[in-house]
Amino acid sequence: MTTTTHEWVDDQATFEAVLEELSKVDRYAIDTEFHRERTYFPALALVQIAWDDRIVLIDPLAVDVVAMTGLFASEVEAVFHAAQQDLDVLTHAVGAVPTRFFDTQIAGGFLGYGTPSLVSLLSAELGVTPAKGDRLTDWLRRPLTEAQRSYAASDVAHLLEVRERLVSRLDDRGRLGWVAEACDELAARNSVRSEPEQAWLRLKDVRSLKPRGRAVAQEVAAWRERRAMALDIPVRQVLPDLAVLGVSQRQPRDERDLTQARGVDGRHTKGVVATELLAAVERGLNNEPPQAPSGGDELGRDLRPAVALVSAWVSQMARDEAIDTALLATRADLVTLLSGDPESRLASGWRAELLGDGIRALVEGRSALTFDRSGGLRLVPIDAVG
């Protein structure tokens, strides 16, 4: 295996010297390794950074990564690939994320790549095939092997170069602003932390609950979330989803009744857990039931067929424009637009410019879809159909 040259940083003075040097460059590539299988919060295990001709691997188990706050607040651009999880882990570990960042996966999505992996992007743009690594490796182990370190370094070794390739092509197509907008959307999603009171909405089959059951589910799921945070363990180890639904349906008033709820076992029917769980049930029974979660079909019957019709045209537009369909418009985007929500992503910006007139023409019956001779869909005025 080819070794990717890098430096290992595990003392605070060297780490801060690296940060000082980074504050003087235009941009740097960054990636993280972390685990979250056994914890509530992601455990940061490694930070990889590349700039100029240097790659450093920073050991967050040995240095205080909060020192990165100043760099993140600066105008120096951070270059990620598939930034969502990196932003999540950095938010928890550092307490901040880069003010300016560029996501090569998002950028690739505007150039016909779909949702590209780093390997596929490097191969297509640079002809580079990174060394394969062990996807299930233990990044919290110390010392890391040379193979682990080299594999981690390879994740950032070519990011700046591939960014330059993508930026050049995006600039030619007038899409750099679109990428910036999509990165801003990603940053905005990351900044909105889910409140424990909203945790019940993530439960499968929660729509089957009656109003009083929804109120109990909201309180029990919120209690579960807070306890998982306090103990830093996965929520399923506090109480599995099946038990949350079972308790919400049965609404037990005492420990004996609690044992009859589906999904509940001996760990949940005694001691502090049982006391707190029953208290959550009681709070739910005394609360006003929350509204049932929307399932994306809250449109009037007259507009529901429009979702499928518009989705077909959006998929064709994604192919024609070489844009990842998920970046262009999701089903939820279409529903919010058709329901008249002014906050819909399709109501403004580049998406509105690209899709707005066509969607309105379809929904208002001024245009129709027909097959072209190559098997694609084409939007045509109704007069042309007859």
Side-chain angles (χ1 to χ4, degrees), residues 79-100:
V79 179
F80 294 92
H81 182 82
Q84 178 65 77
Q85 293 191 87
D86 297 307
L87 296 177
D88 290 344
V89 69
L90 290 172
T91 295
H92 176 65
V94 180
V97 297
T99 301
R100 293 186 61 228

Side-chain angles (χ1 to χ4, degrees), residues 63-357:
V63 303
D64 184 2
V65 292
V66 174
M68 300 179 80
T69 303
L71 174 65
F72 287 173
S74 74
E75 288 300 304
V76 181
E77 181 185 76
V79 179
F80 294 92
H81 182 82
Q84 178 65 77
Q85 293 191 87
D86 297 307
L87 296 177
D88 290 344
V89 69
L90 290 172
T91 295
H92 176 65
V94 180
V97 297
T99 301
R100 293 186 61 228
F101 72 88
F102 183 95
D103 189 329
T104 56
Q105 185 177 74
I106 288 176
F110 284 104
L111 293 170
Y113 278 107
T115 306
S117 67
L118 180 59
V119 171
S120 64
L121 199 58
L122 293 179
S123 176
E125 290 293 322
L126 305 178
V128 171
T129 303
K132 293 183 179 179
D134 182 359
R135 186 174 58 86
L136 300 179
T137 193
D138 183 359
W139 292 107
L140 290 169
R141 179 179 62 186
R142 294 296 183 270
L144 293 178
T145 66
E146 186 59 36
Q148 284 177 304
R149 287 166 51 166
S150 184
Y151 173 71
S154 71
D155 281 343
V156 292
H158 303 284
L159 266 187
L160 295 180
E161 186 180 357
V162 80
R163 175 203 176 276
E164 294 306 309
R165 292 286 191 96
L166 296 176
V167 165
S168 176
R169 293 174 58 198
L170 289 162
D171 194 27
D172 289 342
R173 302 195 65 173
R175 294 183 176 182
L176 270 178
W178 298 3
V179 174
E181 189 175 325
C183 287
D184 287 343
E185 290 170 356
L186 181 58
R189 289 202 301 273
N190 180 71
S191 67
V192 180
R193 293 193 176 186
S194 179
E195 295 295 326
E197 285 73 21
Q198 302 302 312
W200 72 286
L201 294 170
R202 299 193 293 272
L203 293 168
K204 185 179 179 182
D205 297 330
V206 72
R207 296 185 190 87
S208 66
L209 294 174
K210 295 179 180 178
R212 188 60 58 194
R214 293 200 300 269
V216 173
Q218 184 177 43
E219 283 296 328
V220 170
W223 163 77
R224 179 178 72 161
E225 204 79 10
R226 293 191 183 95
R227 185 169 178 83
M229 288 183 195
L231 298 176
D232 195 19
I233 59 175
V235 291
R236 66 180 181 277
Q237 291 186 14
V238 176
L239 195 68
D241 284 2
L242 180 61
V244 176
L245 290 169
V247 168
S248 302
Q249 289 175 332
R250 190 169 185 85
Q251 301 157 26
R253 299 301 187 97
D254 54 39
E255 293 182 7
R256 180 184 177 87
D257 202 16
L258 185 59
T259 63
Q260 303 304 308
R262 189 177 181 189
V264 172
D265 61 35
R267 296 171 298 163
H268 314 125
T269 58
K270 54 191 175 186
V272 173
V273 170
T275 299
E276 293 182 357
L277 181 50
L278 290 169
V281 172
E282 185 67 23
R283 289 193 299 273
L285 292 172
N286 291 324
N287 288 347
E288 189 70 23
Q291 295 244 340
S294 60
D297 290 319
E298 64 276 13
L299 289 172
R301 288 182 179 274
D302 56 331
L303 280 178
R304 289 178 189 174
V307 176
L309 184 68
V310 174
S311 292
W313 180 66
V314 167
S315 296
Q316 183 64 53
M317 285 291 289
R319 290 191 291 272
D320 293 345
E321 297 292 331
I323 299 175
D324 182 6
T325 305
L327 286 172
L328 187 56
T330 63
R331 187 182 188 282
D333 291 329
L334 298 177
V335 169
T336 56
L337 179 72
L338 294 174
S339 64
D341 185 349
E343 298 300 315
S344 171
R345 293 198 307 172
L346 299 178
S348 61
W350 65 271
R351 293 182 180 88
E353 294 175 13
L354 198 61
L355 301 174
D357 289 343

Side-chain angles (χ1 to χ4, degrees), residues 29-97:
I30 182 170
D31 188 35
T32 66
E33 305 296 345
F34 59 92
H35 294 292
R36 68 187 318 160
E37 295 84 4
R38 297 186 296 273
T39 59
Y40 180 88
F41 298 104
L44 181 61
L46 195 65
V47 180
Q48 307 100 283
I49 297 181
W51 74 103
D52 296 338
D53 58 352
R54 293 183 66 185
I55 299 176
V56 297
L57 305 184
I58 298 161
D59 183 0
L61 308 185
V63 303
D64 184 2
V65 292
V66 174
M68 300 179 80
T69 303
L71 174 65
F72 287 173
S74 74
E75 288 300 304
V76 181
E77 181 185 76
V79 179
F80 294 92
H81 182 82
Q84 178 65 77
Q85 293 191 87
D86 297 307
L87 296 177
D88 290 344
V89 69
L90 290 172
T91 295
H92 176 65
V94 180
V97 297

